[in-house]
Amino acid sequence: MTSFINYIYNFARETWLRGFVNSKSKEDIADIPDRFRDFPKVEKEYCIACGSCTASCPSPNAIKLVRDSDNEESQGLTFPIINKSSCIRCGFCAEVCPSEPKTLYCGENHFIQEDFNIIPSKRKYVIDDYLCIKCHKCQDVCEVGAIDLKNNRMVVNQSKCISCGKCLSVCPVKGAMKGVFIANLEEQKEIIQLVVDTLESYIESKQDDLKEIHDDKLFLSEIDFEPLFKDSLNIINDEELVYEVLEKAINRLNIRLVIWDSTLCNKCQLCVGECPTGAISFDNEYDEIVRNKDKCLRCSICYQTCPFSAIKYYSAKFNLDKKDSGEEVIHITVKESQLAKRRA
Amino acid sequence: MLKTLKDIVRKSSIHVCIVNCGGCNGCDVELVACLSPRYDLEQYGIYVHNNPREADVILVTGAVTEQWRENLRRIYAKAPEPKVVVAVGNCPQSGDVFAQEGGRVLAPVSDFIPVDAAIPGCPPRPSEILDAILAVAPGAIAAKGRIQDK
């Protein structure tokens, strides 16, 4: 028994002594985890001096672009320098740096990694959080569990999505669930531009009819869908995509038109000074007002300024519809703006 | 003999007063983390008192606001010699994100009181703070004390 107590006593004394002497923390407390975002490191050879790092920096004085002095052999390098006493280590500069490879490096965790989906699909399914009513119908119908509630938002996990499109058909809100065509975005923009241009030129060609309508009356017209569809197919040869883009563009389009009646114009030049973009100018040689359509913002300031009602302002809406014969047409509704009249 | 004893005592027992003169509190949270078992400030003989009258080290956090302009000088005057001022974080050094155009901060702190050391970071890691205090405070306090003794 005594030997046991003795043993305990000796053991305790030894560990206590050891603990007392070596009580301080080891080096491990200074260890920095791999994912820690330290001050950005600058590789100045890669810098293209675009200035996006300085623009993205939330802290004033933290980062600035400097230039080495020139020497006989070459021009001095331009590169960013980090002021450590202002830098907040947010990593924005490294994130926006467009040079390849990156000039600024600030922890691997912060680079944006694109969602990767192995299924070849034209569409990317996204949920518009603004329209979503969080009914969870898409979540219930999704067979692979790609849709989830994250931070009180319904989110499609792109790495799980198999692009079956069931969520699109089950969504009760029009436009909340979107199957967006992700490839050829520029061509899609071209198609929309084509739609706007054709519809606008069509309405402008009906100027004489437009003059007939007064007050709250509407001008109704129709235009065939087929030629527009064929023209669009020349841009992208994909009927499904083109039809959807055209349908959405036409149904949402709200064109504003500024139409000039040069017979009423008294050349007072009031509109010239008022135009915010300088689209209207006076041609001294021909003694007439010239309007540059490409610069025009359709802001209606000229229409509101004109004392002789030479300028008319219309807003037009469109709807894609099927006739009984199966032919598709675009219904056009044009309404004259009542802005100037109401003010008077 | 007395001098070496004083040196040892000054080096091994450091009393700290934390002064937040108008920041976001992030650095204060990191300072509190220094007290946690992982970093355990007291194993190095550093004690946080938050009383300038017993302080050897004044840790300043935050960009200086209008109200702190005079109070900072008063706190500095209250601390007994020898004393060391350490600026923790970016705010006392440059005003950091608060130093915007039209902002109302009076950073840097060194305009008001002499600063012996500065720790960059927004906020700095607890281990960085600890490193800085240990690197500067014992030596500086002992050296200042020796000058004062003469």
Side-chain angles (χ1 to χ4, degrees):
Chain A
M1 192 65 199
T2 33
S3 68
F4 180 68
I5 291 171
N6 220 14
Y7 171 74
I8 294 282
Y9 170 73
N10 278 326
F11 176 77
R13 191 176 62 175
E14 204 177 315
T15 35
W16 182 84
L17 255 178
R18 208 186 297 137
F20 183 78
V21 175
N22 310 323
S23 66
K24 288 192 177 167
S25 295
K26 302 289 186 306
E27 294 296 313
D28 63 319
I29 61 158
D31 281 353
I32 291 173
D34 297 336
R35 292 178 67 255
F36 180 66
R37 228 186 301 126
D38 212 334
F39 293 112
K41 287 188 193 70
V42 181
E43 308 271 354
K44 57 184 181 181
E45 300 82 45
Y46 303 135
C47 183
I48 54 172
C50 64
S52 39
C53 48
T54 50
S56 70
C57 184
S59 175
N61 324 319
I63 188 165
K64 64 179 175 191
L65 282 173
V66 293
R67 186 154 172 252
D68 273 343
S69 55
D70 298 344
N71 57 18
E72 282 166 11
E73 287 146 33
S74 61
Q75 279 192 333
L77 286 172
T78 308
F79 59 93
I81 51 167
I82 312 281
N83 179 4
K84 277 192 179 178
S85 68
S86 272
C87 175
I88 62 169
R89 305 195 257 212
C90 63
F92 285 179
C93 49
E95 199 172 304
V96 297
C97 184
S99 70
E100 192 69 44
K102 290 198 181 237
T103 309
L104 288 149
Y105 183 81
C106 185
E108 206 168 344
N109 58 327
H110 218 72
F111 292 143
I112 298 168
Q113 284 180 344
E114 277 179 35
D115 292 317
F116 176 71
N117 191 341
I118 200 155
I119 304 224
S121 166
K122 283 185 288 186
R123 290 167 192 267
K124 181 181 179 183
Y125 290 85
V126 286
I127 295 168
D128 190 334
D129 186 54
Y130 185 72
L131 293 171
C132 177
I133 55 169
K134 298 179 185 67
C135 62
H136 295 253
K137 277 184 184 162
C138 48
Q139 192 180 8
D140 296 338
V141 85
C142 186
E143 286 177 1
V144 287
I147 300 171
D148 238 332
L149 194 66
K150 252 185 213 168
N151 294 334
N152 209 19
R153 288 168 174 220
M154 300 299 289
V155 184
V156 181
N157 185 347
Q158 299 298 340
S159 53
K160 279 187 186 172
C161 178
I162 54 165
S163 301
C164 61
K166 279 184 182 165
C167 44
L168 204 61
S169 54
V170 84
C171 184
V173 186
K174 195 180 174 189
M177 186 86 213
K178 290 187 172 84
V180 196
F181 295 100
I182 35 174
N184 46 42
L185 279 176
E186 284 306 311
E187 285 85 354
Q188 289 179 41
K189 279 185 200 165
E190 257 176 62
I191 292 182
I192 294 168
Q193 193 59 46
L194 179 80
V195 174
V196 175
D197 287 345
T198 29
L199 291 174
E200 196 179 353
S201 58
Y202 175 76
I203 295 171
E204 272 176 14
S205 69
K206 300 274 174 185
Q207 261 193 59
D208 295 333
D209 295 336
L210 281 172
K211 274 181 203 164
E212 300 297 314
I213 60 163
H214 294 292
D215 298 334
D216 287 346
K217 294 277 178 336
L218 299 173
F219 169 77
L220 299 174
S221 182
E222 278 178 4
I223 181 173
D224 281 343
F225 177 66
E226 202 56 36
L228 199 60
F229 188 59
K230 274 180 184 161
D231 286 346
S232 307
L233 278 179
N234 290 335
I235 300 173
I236 311 175
N237 198 9
D238 183 341
E239 291 198 6
E240 184 198 2
L241 189 154
V242 167
Y243 186 81
E244 200 175 309
V245 170
L246 280 177
E247 188 190 14
K248 280 181 180 160
I250 289 165
N251 287 342
R252 287 180 197 169
L253 207 57
N254 185 359
I255 300 184
R256 296 185 186 122
L257 292 135
V258 180
I259 291 174
W260 292 55
D261 190 348
S262 46
T263 53
L264 285 173
C265 182
N266 285 9
K267 283 143 197 144
C268 64
Q269 295 184 33
L270 271 176
C271 50
V272 177
E274 288 292 329
C275 183
T277 54
I280 308 169
S281 55
F282 185 70
D283 195 336
N284 278 323
E285 219 169 284
Y286 295 95
D287 188 37
E288 62 177 8
I289 305 273
V290 187
R291 173 174 167 247
N292 184 352
K293 248 173 92 177
D294 296 333
K295 273 190 183 177
C296 181
L297 293 174
R298 287 103 204 270
C299 64
S300 84
I301 284 177
C302 52
Y303 155 70
Q304 294 184 50
T305 314
C306 186
F308 306 106
S309 302
I311 304 163
K312 288 267 165 47
Y313 191 60
Y314 299 95
S315 79
K317 285 191 172 179
F318 309 90
N319 190 19
L320 186 66
D321 201 10
K322 246 187 193 147
K323 270 186 175 177
D324 295 336
S325 54
E327 209 179 319
E328 282 182 289
V329 286
I330 304 168
H331 294 298
I332 304 173
T333 315
V334 188
K335 192 184 174 191
E336 192 186 352
S337 171
Q338 303 291 314
L339 253 177
K341 280 171 194 161
R342 272 185 205 147
R343 203 175 50 172
Chain B
M1 175 67 192
L2 185 68
K3 273 178 189 167
T4 41
L5 197 67
K6 267 188 177 176
D7 266 10
I8 291 166
V9 172
R10 276 171 183 153
K11 275 182 182 174
S12 59
S13 163
I14 303 164
H15 291 229
V16 166
C17 168
I18 301 171
V19 180
N20 181 351
C21 48
C24 70
N25 237 25
C27 298
D28 304 64
V29 172
E30 297 297 307
L31 284 168
V32 170
C34 288
L35 298 172
S36 69
R38 179 170 165 77
Y39 295 102
D40 192 18
L41 204 68
E42 300 201 350
Q43 66 179 302
Y44 303 103
I46 304 172
Y47 305 97
V48 177
H49 279 284
N50 271 349
N51 179 358
R53 288 192 198 281
E54 322 180 25
D56 300 311
V57 176
I58 300 176
L59 290 182
V60 187
T61 66
V64 185
T65 53
E66 193 66 41
Q67 285 93 332
W68 273 97
R69 187 205 281 265
E70 279 313 306
N71 291 351
L72 199 61
R73 286 206 189 94
R74 277 175 57 205
I75 283 179
Y76 182 73
K78 275 177 184 173
E81 288 288 349
K83 58 195 166 191
V84 167
V85 178
V86 179
V88 179
N90 285 343
C91 287
Q93 297 169 49
S94 65
D96 207 9
V97 284
F98 301 112
Q100 304 279 359
E101 209 173 313
R104 304 281 289 159
V105 292
L106 307 164
V109 166
S110 50
D111 289 357
F112 302 93
I113 53 175
V115 174
D116 297 273
I119 312 166
C122 184
R125 289 176 62 78
S127 55
E128 286 173 354
I129 299 173
L130 237 128
D131 273 355
I133 297 175
L134 286 173
V136 176
I141 292 167
K144 280 193 177 182
R146 261 178 255 131
I147 296 166
Q148 198 193 11
D149 289 341
K150 275 176 191 171

